[in-house]
Amino acid sequence: MFFVTPAYAEEAPAGTAETGAATGTDPHAAPAAGEVHTETGVAGGEHHGGVFPPFDTSTYASQLLWLVITFAIFFVLMQKVIAPRIGGILEQRHNRLAQDLDEAARLKSEADAAVATYEGELAAARSKANQIGTAARDAAKLKAEADRRAVEASLAEKLKAAEGRIADIKAKAFADVGTIAEETAVAVVQQLIGGTAAKADVAAAVAAAKKEG
């Protein structure tokens, strides 16, 4: 910010005034060519104290003017440059956040669909496994029943054959018993009476004994 240099109401030193009077020049006149005039006085002169420029009441108008100009420039910069950039950045972040939220929602939807598909396939697999187990159990039962029936039929046939063989053995044994009894009776008669008995009589006696037994 630029300020108007105030005119200090200080008296020049006595030596300076006298020098000016002696030389015939005005100490307050414009500086000659080649001389540099600063805010505090002529170059090479002593520094003069005074009021700090921002607190000088004579420069308030110019200070206010520059303040208004600076504020207007800052306001224009804010409205035309800074605010649009900030708004663009905020809009980009908002759009990116919205895209991220949409992507997250899409991924969640896909995950939910995958979980539902997995649960459906798992339920179908369980149902199929139950069906396979039931079918296998039923097939095992049928096979076991068929095997049992086959074993029972085989045992029945073997039992029937055994009973036939037993009947044959029994009949043969009974036949052998009759013969043995006849021979034994003949031998007993020979031992008892010392004679021989007729085979027909012995056979009839053995047959009568079988019937009575």
Side-chain angles (χ1 to χ4, degrees), residues 68-88:
V68 170
I69 293 173
T70 304
F71 179 78
I73 293 173
F74 180 73
F75 180 78
V76 171
L77 287 176
M78 282 290 296
Q79 186 176 11
K80 300 296 183 180
V81 179
I82 299 175
R85 289 184 180 179
I86 295 176

Side-chain angles (χ1 to χ4, degrees), residues 135-158:
R137 186 170 59 251
D138 295 340
K141 286 182 179 180
L142 292 176
K143 187 175 183 303
E145 184 68 20
D147 292 341
R148 185 183 65 80
R149 291 178 180 177
V151 170
E152 289 179 353
S154 177
L155 291 176
E157 291 178 358
K158 290 179 179 180

Side-chain angles (χ1 to χ4, degrees), residues 37-107:
H37 195 283
T38 62
E39 294 180 356
T40 58
V42 181
E46 298 179 355
H47 178 74
H48 299 284
V51 181
F52 186 59
F55 300 144
D56 189 358
T57 57
S58 62
T59 61
Y60 278 178
S62 61
Q63 292 183 30
L64 291 175
L65 176 63
W66 282 110
L67 178 62
V68 170
I69 293 173
T70 304
F71 179 78
I73 293 173
F74 180 73
F75 180 78
V76 171
L77 287 176
M78 282 290 296
Q79 186 176 11
K80 300 296 183 180
V81 179
I82 299 175
R85 289 184 180 179
I86 295 176
I89 293 172
L90 293 177
E91 185 176 1
Q92 290 179 358
R93 290 186 177 181
H94 177 73
N95 293 334
R96 183 176 298 175
L97 181 61
Q99 291 177 358
D100 293 340
L101 291 176
D102 293 339
E103 183 69 13
R106 185 181 65 81
L107 293 176

Side-chain angles (χ1 to χ4, degrees), residues 3-31:
F3 301 97
V4 178
T5 304
Y8 297 105
E10 296 180 355
E11 295 180 357
T16 304
E18 291 176 357
T19 304
T23 57
T25 59
D26 188 0
H28 298 288

